[in-house]
């Protein structure tokens, strides 16, 4: 069979299967991410039927998926909103980082994987899934709740922290010297600072390049700028995902709103491809051996995420029910965790890190949405009332 024909068959079959699994995920009320990861595991290395012909397609598609995930997230905020949230919730962000990064780092050191793997696994356990959490808030009707700005502030701080964390991790996994690493990180941080400055001071100029009235030129223009900046960022050892995120922040007003609308279908397609590709490149035969440490890590870090979210909401003056809603809503990990593990895997840091991260994300993405619903149950509300009295305000 001709190679092109085989690629079309493999890609078409996978996309059709992913569509059916996505509908199943919607029906049972969870994120489709774990289903996409499982599809990749089934048809990747060590799976039941490895697919080789379409691997290059999924590799390129996965890169575009990460870029679009972060670009669309950036379009949700202006540079000023980003800085305001950072100032208001910096202490909560620090607590969030310490509580949730340390367990991952400790597990990597206990397993004997070394300091670089410890830094990578710390990032895997630190960052909540912005996509899953945002979907949870919409599905549960909490967008107007008093605690929602706290949740969003923590997500923004985590995303902004990734702009500095990812270049540092990239320098570490490459194994450059201390001086080279310092130069790489300095350049990366400088680039991030410059892009943030341009977004804050000249975002309106960038937005005027595009017209919101015509969807086709808008789609091509914003997508082109995003991929261009992402590629240039990667060239100077800043994550392409971070470059895309900062482009999203730089675009504002009606252009940002329309760009988000026209890019969303593309993001959904290539983000799904990204998760499938991560599963394809993960050895499924090693996943079983990582289930126990992944489960223990998930239990520990979901508890620390609930604690850090609870503290952040309490500092913001939110009532007890809202504090629990904040912490429990933040438990799922997803996009960034897989991105970080993928970066470490591509550099050959620790081959067992990928199956551990995959199992870990699967557990948190499946369990997290159920945990987020607990504060809405009658028994939980009654327990809070008995403990705190009838005058509790959420």
């Amino acid at each position: 069979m001709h190679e092109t024909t085989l690629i079309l068959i493999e890609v078409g079959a996978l996309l059709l299967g992913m569509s059916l699994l996505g509908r199943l995920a919607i029906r049972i009320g969870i994120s489709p991410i774990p289903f996409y990861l499982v599809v990749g595991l089934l048809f990747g290395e060590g799976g039941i039927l490895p697919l080789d012909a379409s691997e290059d397609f999924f590799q390129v598609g996965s890169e575009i998926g990460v870029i679009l995930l972060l670009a669309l997230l950036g379009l949700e905020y202006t540079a000023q909103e980003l800085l305001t949230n950072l100032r208001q919730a910096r202490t909560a962000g620090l607590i969030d980082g310490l509580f949730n990064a340390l367990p991952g780092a400790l597990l990597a050191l206990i397993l004997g994987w070394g300091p670089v793997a410890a830094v990578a696994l710390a990032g895997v356990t630190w960052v909540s899934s912005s996509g899953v959490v945002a979907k949870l808030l919409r599905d549960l009707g909490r967008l107007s709740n008093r605690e929602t700005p706290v949740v969003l502030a923590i997500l923004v701080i985590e995303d902004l922290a990734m702009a500095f964390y990812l270049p540092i991790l990239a320098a570490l996994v490459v194994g450059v010297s201390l001086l080279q690493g310092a130069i790489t990180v300095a350049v990366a941080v400088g680039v991030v600072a410059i892009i943030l400055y341009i977004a804050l001071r000249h975002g309106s100029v960038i937005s005027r390049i595009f017209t919101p009235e015509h969807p086709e030129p808008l789609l091509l223009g914003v997508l082109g700028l995003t991929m261009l900046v992402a590629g240039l960022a990667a060239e100077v050892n800043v994550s392409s995902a971070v470059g895309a995120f900062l482009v999203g922040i730089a675009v504002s007003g009606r252009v940002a709103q329309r760009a988000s609308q026209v890019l969303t279908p593309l993001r959904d397609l290539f983000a799904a491809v990204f998760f499938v590709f991560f599963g394809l490149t993960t050895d499924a035969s090693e996943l079983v051996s990582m289930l126990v440490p992944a489960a223990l890590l998930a239990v520990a870090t979901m508890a620390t995420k609930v604690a850090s979210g609870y503290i952040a909401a309490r500092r913001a003056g939110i009532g007890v029910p809202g504090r629990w809603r904040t912490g429990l809503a933040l438990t799922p990990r997803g996009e960034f965790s897989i991105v970080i593990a993928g970066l470490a895997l591509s550099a050959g840091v620790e081959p067992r890190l990928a199956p551990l991260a995959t199992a870990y994300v699967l557990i948190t993405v499946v369990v997290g949405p159920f945990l987020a619903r607990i504060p809405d149950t009658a028994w939980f509300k009654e327990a809070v009332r008995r403990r705190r009295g009838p005058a509790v305000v959420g």
Side-chain angles (χ1 to χ4, degrees), residues 20-314:
L20 298 175
L21 290 173
R23 289 188 62 185
L24 176 62
I26 293 171
R27 183 177 295 273
I28 61 180
I30 66 172
S31 167
I33 291 175
F35 291 104
Y36 298 154
L37 290 171
V38 169
V39 167
L41 290 169
L42 289 175
F43 297 102
E45 183 181 355
I48 58 174
L49 182 62
L51 302 180
D52 299 322
S54 55
E55 184 174 348
D56 289 341
F57 169 85
F58 279 98
Q59 182 175 10
V60 175
S62 71
E63 289 287 337
I64 298 174
V66 175
I67 290 169
L68 288 173
L69 275 170
L70 275 296
L72 268 292
L73 184 63
L75 287 172
E76 297 293 325
Y77 309 101
T78 65
Q80 188 59 54
E81 287 172 341
L82 195 67
L83 293 177
T84 299
N85 283 330
L86 183 61
R87 294 191 200 100
Q88 292 177 345
R90 57 182 179 272
T91 302
L94 180 61
I95 294 171
D96 174 68
L98 289 174
F99 275 39
N100 298 289
L102 287 178
L106 287 174
L107 179 62
L109 294 174
I110 290 171
L111 293 174
W113 291 356
V116 177
V119 174
L121 193 54
V124 170
T125 59
W126 173 11
V127 185
S128 298
S129 170
S130 299
V132 175
V133 174
K135 187 175 186 304
L136 273 176
L137 294 177
R138 288 195 300 269
D139 292 347
L140 298 175
R142 296 181 185 172
L143 291 177
S144 60
N145 281 22
R146 290 186 61 223
E147 76 275 1
T148 296
V150 178
V151 175
L152 296 178
I154 291 174
L155 293 176
V156 169
I157 287 177
E158 289 178 347
D159 294 336
L160 184 60
M162 289 295 102
F164 300 95
Y165 167 85
L166 288 175
I168 294 172
L169 178 63
L172 289 174
V173 299
V174 170
V176 297
S177 67
L178 184 62
L179 178 60
Q180 289 174 313
I183 293 172
T184 299
V185 172
V187 170
V189 171
V191 170
V192 170
I194 290 171
I195 297 176
L196 272 176
Y197 173 79
I198 293 173
L200 184 62
R201 299 296 183 186
H202 306 289
S204 60
V205 176
I206 296 173
S207 297
R208 282 201 293 270
I209 298 173
F210 311 105
T211 173
E213 285 78 19
H214 304 288
E216 184 176 338
L218 177 63
L219 168 64
L220 296 173
V222 175
L223 180 60
L225 178 63
T226 301
M227 296 182 69
L228 175 63
V229 173
L232 294 174
E235 183 63 25
V236 295
N237 293 312
V238 179
S239 166
S240 58
V242 172
F245 176 68
L246 295 175
V247 169
I249 291 172
V251 178
S252 59
R254 286 192 61 225
V255 172
Q257 295 173 359
R258 290 289 292 141
S260 180
Q261 292 172 1
V262 297
L263 286 171
T264 293
L266 276 181
R267 178 204 61 187
D268 293 342
L269 168 62
F270 286 106
V273 168
F274 166 71
F275 291 115
V276 170
F277 179 73
F278 186 83
L280 288 172
T281 55
T282 301
D283 191 341
S285 62
E286 295 184 0
L287 192 63
V288 176
S289 64
M290 289 290 106
L291 283 178
V292 172
L296 294 174
L297 186 62
V299 171
T301 55
M302 284 192 287
T304 55
K305 185 65 78 170
V306 171
S308 60
Y310 187 100
I311 292 170
R314 184 178 64 187

